Amino acid sequence: MRQISLPTGALEIRLTQGEAELDTLLGFAARANAKRGFLFLSKVLGKHWPVKPSVMQSIHARMAANVPASIGPVVFIAMAETAIGLGQGVFEAWLRANPGRDALFIHTSRYRVGTTPIIEFEEAHSHAPRQFLHMPQDAAQRALLETAGTLVLVDDEASTGNTFLNLSNACRRINPHLSQVHLSTIINFMGEQATEQLTARFGLPVTLGALVSGEYRFEAGAAVATPLPAQLFDPSADRGASTAFGRLGINRPLAPAPADDVAASLNPGASVLVLGTGEFMHAPALLAAGLEQGGFDVVVQSTTRSPVLVWGAVASALAFPDNYGEGVGNFLYNVRPGQYDHVLICHETAPNAALLHLARLLDGRLLHFVNETYVSEIPVC
């Protein structure tokens, strides 16, 4: 048993699997969120903590190996915003291990894109609870979503299973052919009894694969109020979120952006941070992987809308406007200005004042991913 005293309360965890690598995979932090005062902070996710691309990819392969033998075509869905890169990495690792299989990747989003129909569901404990799953525009991919036998839901953690259940139920309404669900997580803190009851709770066979398993108990202390709204959804607003990277479905690995041009502009031996922005995570991670393979000392991370206190696994925090123009605060943790020789800020949205502000704050470069293969560097004045 491990006990952690947080500024927001007392956390107690008991492990049944993964104790030997717990501190390698996980840290603990305190949320500025009255709904949930703690954060299981993954050190291999590339969100709140910098991680080597090769380490991240090894986690993807391990999680993909836990997916059981599937029934029919397989649909992988990653949960926004934190697990988008994780889910796409697991999907691609599974494709490499299962060549020729029919499979679809799609991720949930907190932004509407285009006019395609959506499924809406709730992540109740989240700082920004509304999530959307867009129906694929491609007819073959939409048919795969509607007829797949196996659904793989990917998130960094499972603590109650409620969000997985909400999304599974939403998918079953459009696909009555689903025969099994697999929950793929880095950590599972639902406890043995709740995990064993998943099949009965979901109403169809459910398996769960995790690298760390156990259960937790949290006793809240003085609540830390959320400082600002984290979701100001306007269905008529175009937030600049792209349709090119997985929101509308993709049935193949994402093409990595060419790393050679970027590599040519970096000093040999220099430290490099490749920084994703918000929901835009996997394409930057692939760029980082290409730079690492080229011999650079590189880590990958992403900005987030989740407010976390500077405590525990969070040594520093930067706040700035969000580049999607939603009007909510965005944050970057465990990164200090001047810490890296090069900071490459990767974004799917068009250049805007928020991105320029972030680039000046970090003395970074802006790389606009227009699509998979075309990346345009934006001058920072």
Side-chain angles (χ1 to χ4, degrees), residues 73-78 87 91-92 94-95 101-107 133-148 150-152 246-252:
V74 186
V75 171
F76 287 74
I77 302 179
F91 166 72
E92 294 185 359
W94 186 88
L95 283 182
R101 290 294 306 275
D102 286 334
L104 175 73
F105 171 79
I106 193 166
H107 70 76
L133 183 70
H134 293 77
M135 296 294 288
Q137 290 181 328
D138 178 84
Q141 292 180 9
R142 183 163 182 163
L144 201 158
L145 178 63
E146 293 173 342
T147 61
T150 300
L151 179 64
V152 179
R247 282 188 182 87
L248 301 185
I250 186 169
N251 57 1
R252 54 172 175 78

Side-chain angles (χ1 to χ4, degrees), residues 88 107 113 241-250 252 254-255 280 283 348 369-373:
Q88 202 155 6
H107 70 76
V113 293
S242 176
T243 61
F245 300 96
R247 282 188 182 87
L248 301 185
I250 186 169
R252 54 172 175 78
L254 199 65
F280 187 61
E348 61 177 338
F369 283 62
V370 180
N371 53 45
E372 290 179 72
T373 57

Side-chain angles (χ1 to χ4, degrees), residues 22-370:
L22 175 67
D23 293 327
T24 300
L25 298 176
L26 191 66
F28 302 96
R31 293 179 187 262
N33 182 347
K35 295 180 181 179
R36 175 175 283 193
F38 62 93
L39 174 66
F40 299 124
L41 187 148
S42 171
K43 296 179 179 178
V44 294
L45 183 67
K47 196 64 179 175
H48 305 86
W49 188 278
V51 60
K52 289 283 186 184
S54 55
V55 171
M56 182 185 292
Q57 290 176 335
S58 71
I59 296 298
H60 298 164
R62 289 175 63 187
M63 292 175 66
N66 283 335
V67 177
S70 52
I71 299 171
V74 186
V75 171
F76 287 74
I77 302 179
M79 307 297 290
E81 75 176 12
T82 303
I84 290 174
L86 176 70
Q88 202 155 6
V90 171
F91 166 72
E92 294 185 359
W94 186 88
L95 283 182
R96 288 191 290 271
N98 296 271
R101 290 294 306 275
D102 286 334
L104 175 73
F105 171 79
I106 193 166
H107 70 76
T108 69
S109 180
R110 292 192 171 97
Y111 309 109
R112 284 294 310 269
V113 293
T115 58
T116 183
I118 61 166
I119 299 169
E120 181 174 352
F121 66 101
E122 186 173 88
E123 185 182 10
H125 69 260
S126 174
H127 188 50
R130 296 182 69 182
Q131 293 220 39
F132 310 101
L133 183 70
H134 293 77
M135 296 294 288
Q137 290 181 328
D138 178 84
Q141 292 180 9
R142 183 163 182 163
L144 201 158
L145 178 63
E146 293 173 342
T147 61
T150 300
L151 179 64
V152 179
L153 303 180
V154 185
D155 207 350
D156 59 312
E157 69 162 89
S159 53
T160 67
N162 292 338
T163 306
F164 283 138
L165 178 60
N166 292 343
L167 180 53
S168 174
N169 287 340
C171 290
R172 292 179 72 186
R173 287 194 289 271
I174 62 169
N175 180 1
H177 307 281
L178 279 176
S179 300
Q180 62 182 24
V181 175
H182 178 72
L183 310 181
S184 180
T185 67
I186 298 173
I187 57 173
N188 168 29
F189 277 154
M190 289 193 296
E192 289 186 34
Q193 183 177 0
T195 301
E196 291 171 357
Q197 293 173 348
L198 285 170
T199 291
R201 189 178 171 196
F202 278 59
L204 77 172
V206 178
T207 54
L208 188 148
L211 306 184
V212 174
S213 296
E215 58 186 338
Y216 77 94
R217 185 174 65 88
F218 181 70
E219 184 176 342
V224 178
T226 299
L228 288 172
Q231 193 167 29
L232 299 173
F233 177 68
D234 178 355
S236 65
D238 181 359
R239 300 298 184 194
S242 176
T243 61
F245 300 96
R247 282 188 182 87
L248 301 185
I250 186 169
N251 57 1
R252 54 172 175 78
L254 199 65
D260 292 346
D261 290 344
V262 175
S265 66
L266 304 178
N267 300 324
S271 59
V272 182
L273 169 64
V274 176
L275 184 65
T277 45
E279 294 185 356
F280 187 61
M281 299 175 64
H282 189 58
L286 293 177
L287 173 62
L291 294 174
E292 185 182 29
Q293 291 165 8
F296 289 93
D297 177 18
V298 58
V299 292
V300 62
Q301 200 176 330
S302 174
T303 64
T304 175
R305 69 170 73 205
S306 179
V308 184
L309 303 180
V310 176
W311 179 89
V314 174
S316 63
L318 298 172
F320 39 87
D322 79 289
N323 59 294
Y324 292 89
E326 197 175 9
V328 300
N330 271 211
F331 307 93
L332 177 60
Y333 299 109
N334 293 313
V335 174
R336 298 180 305 276
Q339 181 176 350
Y340 297 96
D341 296 319
H342 301 280
V343 177
L344 308 177
I345 303 168
C346 305
H347 53 100
E348 61 177 338
T349 61
N352 56 36
L355 287 166
L356 290 169
H357 173 84
L358 179 60
R360 296 185 188 113
L361 181 66
L362 296 174
D363 191 23
R365 296 162 57 184
L366 292 176
L367 302 181
H368 181 199
F369 283 62
V370 180

